[in-house]
Amino acid sequence: MDSITARNLLKLQEIDEKIEEVKSRLEKIPTEIKHLQEEKQKVIDEYEKILIQKKQLELTKKEKELDIQDLQQRIKKIEDRLNTVKSNDEYKALLREKAQAEESIIHLEDEIINIMEEIENISKKIKEFEKERDKKIQEIENQIESKQKEIEELNNQIQNLTKEREELIKHLKPQDIAQYENIKKKVKTKVIAVVDDQVCTGCYMVIPPKVFTELLKTENLLRCPNCGRYLFYESK
Ligand SMILES: [Zn+2]
């Protein structure tokens, strides 16, 4: 193998590495987008939750107001009967019943005041949340959009790199590409390892002096005795 082929294989390797890098980035983006969408849904759900809380409080308040109305009607009936009642015992019993109803009303009114306070607090919270919510959702949507743009860009990059690769392959012999693919299957990364300071940058082992001396002289591409990668040496 001559040094032009070696250079072309090195270029091929660079392109393959870039393609893999872009592909692995591409694989991660859909999950990132999914997480952002979940985050957005969480903000929406949280908002819905406080709205429901407020509605429930308002409902409870309404119920207690109706209870008061019932009690007031009962008091009115008791008062009517107090005017017509004959026996003393019955009169006393009605007075007791009236007092109980009045006490219940006071109790309910206290509860309503507490609920109103809660409603006021939650209304404030809702207003604050609305401001934050729109901002947060906008932010998340911007992030999603930029990730979708990134997918487009990365797909373009892959297209360009694939074109570049096709062009480069035209200048390589099929058996050289076959061998390149073969070693690639075994070593996964760096089929061609640049030799740096007598070290194979594929496996980071020092190249035996005999091999290194040969590497300096020969036009042929030698393989690392340790990892089997092609060695590419360029004198500085
Ligand atoms: Zn090696």
Side-chain angles (χ1 to χ4, degrees):
M1 191 184 285
D2 55 88
S3 63
I4 292 171
T5 307
R7 265 173 222 283
N8 281 338
L9 281 180
L10 196 63
K11 190 89 213 305
L12 180 68
Q13 171 169 289
E14 271 169 29
I15 293 171
D16 281 350
E17 275 172 2
K18 266 189 217 160
I19 290 176
E20 252 156 63
E21 212 176 282
V22 173
K23 276 185 181 165
S24 81
R25 174 73 197 119
L26 257 178
E27 272 170 25
K28 285 182 190 126
I29 301 177
T31 318
E32 290 173 3
I33 290 179
K34 200 180 144 232
H35 283 157
L36 284 167
Q37 278 163 342
E38 282 166 1
E39 216 179 293
K40 182 180 150 188
Q41 193 54 46
K42 228 168 98 186
V43 176
I44 294 167
D45 289 348
E46 225 173 296
Y47 177 68
E48 288 293 316
K49 220 171 97 189
I50 357 181
L51 283 188
I52 288 169
Q53 270 175 14
K54 193 189 169 191
K55 265 191 200 140
Q56 248 149 10
L57 282 169
E58 281 165 344
L59 218 75
T60 316
K61 183 178 164 251
K62 189 115 223 160
E63 276 168 14
K64 292 194 187 293
E65 282 166 351
L66 287 174
D67 286 347
I68 289 178
Q69 275 178 26
D70 285 348
L71 286 165
Q72 281 166 340
Q73 271 166 13
R74 204 198 293 174
I75 288 171
K76 225 178 238 168
K77 273 182 201 158
I78 293 170
E79 279 166 349
D80 288 346
R81 279 169 65 197
L82 279 172
N83 292 329
T84 56
V85 81
K86 304 265 167 10
S87 97
N88 206 20
D89 280 352
E90 207 179 334
Y91 190 83
K92 272 186 192 162
L94 282 171
L95 277 185
R96 242 191 337 264
E97 206 184 316
K98 189 188 165 195
Q100 266 168 8
E102 281 167 347
E103 210 176 301
S104 295
I105 287 176
I106 290 169
H107 189 67
L108 283 166
E109 280 171 346
D110 281 347
E111 282 179 347
I112 286 173
I113 287 170
N114 285 337
I115 291 169
M116 279 164 74
E117 243 171 69
E118 275 182 67
I119 290 174
E120 208 186 302
N121 285 337
I122 222 163
S123 299
K124 269 187 215 157
K125 209 167 137 191
I126 287 170
K127 259 189 197 154
E128 271 166 37
F129 201 100
E130 276 169 348
K131 267 192 255 160
E132 283 295 303
R133 178 195 61 167
D134 293 346
K135 221 169 80 188
K136 266 191 210 162
I137 287 179
Q138 190 57 53
E139 263 173 30
I140 294 171
E141 277 173 353
N142 288 345
Q143 282 182 48
I144 291 174
E145 203 182 311
S146 88
K147 290 209 185 288
Q148 277 157 346
K149 268 190 199 144
E150 199 186 343
I151 291 179
E152 244 173 78
E153 273 165 31
L154 292 174
N155 276 325
N156 280 341
Q157 276 182 36
I158 287 183
Q159 249 181 358
N160 291 336
L161 287 166
T162 309
K163 260 188 225 156
E164 219 180 305
R165 193 183 198 276
E166 278 163 10
E167 200 50 47
L168 185 64
I169 275 177
K170 285 182 196 159
H171 303 289
L172 282 161
K173 287 191 205 114
Q175 67 261 36
D176 288 337
I177 297 169
Q179 194 143 27
Y180 167 86
E181 298 290 356
N182 221 1
I183 301 176
K184 194 179 168 189
K185 254 182 235 158
K186 283 184 206 134
V187 296
K188 309 286 182 220
T189 59
K190 279 193 195 165
V191 176
I192 318 252
V194 173
V195 176
D196 186 23
D197 205 15
Q198 292 193 40
V199 170
C200 161
T201 56
C203 63
Y204 293 96
M205 294 291 281
V206 175
I207 290 155
K210 199 176 146 240
V211 180
F212 188 69
T213 319
E214 211 185 326
L215 197 64
L216 295 177
K217 286 187 293 188
T218 186
E219 269 288 289
N220 296 332
L221 212 62
L222 301 176
R223 290 173 70 170
C224 170
N226 184 53
C227 65
R229 288 179 172 90
Y230 282 126
L231 294 168
F232 183 78
Y233 181 76
E234 211 168 26
S235 44
K236 285 166 193 165

